[in-house]
Amino acid sequence: MSMNKILLSIIFFSFNVGVCFTQDDSEINGGVIKYEAFDKFDLSYFKDADPKVKEWLAGMPKGVKYAKVLYFNNRYSLFEEDNTAQAAVVDKKVLVMRSKMPYITAPRPVLKKIFINRGKGVMSKQMELMTRFFIIEEDLITWDWKPGTKQVKILDYMCMSATSTSGDKVVTAWFTPQIKTKAGPELYGGLPGLILAVDINGENVLLATEVNLNPPSDKLFKKPTEGKKMKSEAFQNLVDEKMEQYRAERESRKMKENSDKSGYHK
């Protein structure tokens, strides 16, 4: 079952801002939260494809799922790939799509690991761009969360919704005040409760699958070290440069294809 169907199948309840949960005022000491992350394939390259290609795409997966894990305590959090998760049998169609994506989609940065020091308000991100790793250290993102109007139950925890707009993305976070911490998966956090699910533009991208509130070992909380250190602005300039190269190469390929179809050659 897809993550979208999982989230849509959860029963929704009417929301009252004054609703209270039975809980202690003190923050949870820590925990280990496992998530299922859905990475959607960018199929914009095929928007002008011929009908046969579009028919082929209709039967192909729209993305791939990954196992992720969040470690947190009162001061730190670490979000990364869950290497302890049992390897699932990957659908052959997914493998086909994953093999094609690097050649037909624009290069994009992928967050591999993020360490957050909430006390100091800073984070250290390990990003991957075109098989290369980079380390970016910057201030913690301050999300402009707005309270939602619904509640949802996830893993026996009642969750409230909050939304924030980032560029052309509307991010909806589902957080539970029953687990009092400002931690959350990936870059998301800052709410009065643990974030158990995240939607972007109505599509579920993160969903908690397991909650363990035993504090993890302090040894786990380490900054990522593999990768070239760069300032955030310099890294964004590199991404923009690679994007521009991709657009130029794609336009060149289109011109060549049109030339070949017309039969005109210099």
Side-chain angles (χ1 to χ4, degrees), residues 121-192:
V122 295
M123 59 184 176
S124 180
K125 302 182 296 184
Q126 182 188 58
M127 307 295 295
E128 182 181 11
L129 178 65
M130 301 177 70
T131 71
R132 294 178 60 196
F133 290 99
F134 300 87
I135 303 294
I136 297 94
E137 295 185 349
E138 57 186 346
D139 292 337
L140 190 61
I141 294 176
T142 301
W143 293 90
D144 183 21
W145 295 114
K146 293 178 173 57
T149 58
K150 294 179 180 179
Q151 293 185 60
V152 62
K153 198 172 185 180
I154 302 174
L155 297 177
D156 294 327
Y157 293 95
M158 195 63 70
C159 297
M160 299 177 179
S161 65
T163 61
S164 183
T165 301
S166 176
D168 59 350
K169 296 179 180 179
V170 177
V171 179
T172 301
W174 299 93
F175 69 98
T176 176
Q178 291 173 279
I179 304 177
K180 191 175 181 182
T181 176
K182 292 186 178 181
E186 287 197 6
L187 302 171
Y188 310 108
L191 286 164

Side-chain angles (χ1 to χ4, degrees), residues 30-63:
V32 180
I33 317 299
K34 296 192 175 185
Y35 292 86
E36 186 176 75
F38 184 74
D39 187 12
K40 188 177 180 181
F41 293 137
D42 178 9
L43 302 179
S44 59
Y45 179 88
F46 297 103
K47 64 180 181 180
D48 298 322
D50 61 58
K52 288 186 178 180
V53 173
K54 289 184 177 180
E55 182 180 354
W56 174 76
L57 280 174
M60 298 300 285
K62 301 303 182 287

Side-chain angles (χ1 to χ4, degrees), residues 83-137:
N83 296 321
T84 65
Q86 183 177 358
V89 178
V90 180
D91 190 297
K92 290 183 178 180
K93 290 183 178 180
V94 172
L95 293 176
V96 170
M97 292 299 290
R98 288 176 65 180
S99 67
K100 292 181 179 296
M101 287 300 104
Y103 304 101
I104 57 180
T105 61
R108 64 185 180 95
V110 177
L111 178 65
K112 302 298 289 184
K113 183 182 297 188
I114 177 169
F115 169 85
I116 291 176
N117 184 327
R118 294 197 301 280
K120 293 184 178 181
V122 295
M123 59 184 176
S124 180
K125 302 182 296 184
Q126 182 188 58
M127 307 295 295
E128 182 181 11
L129 178 65
M130 301 177 70
T131 71
R132 294 178 60 196
F133 290 99
F134 300 87
I135 303 294
I136 297 94
E137 295 185 349

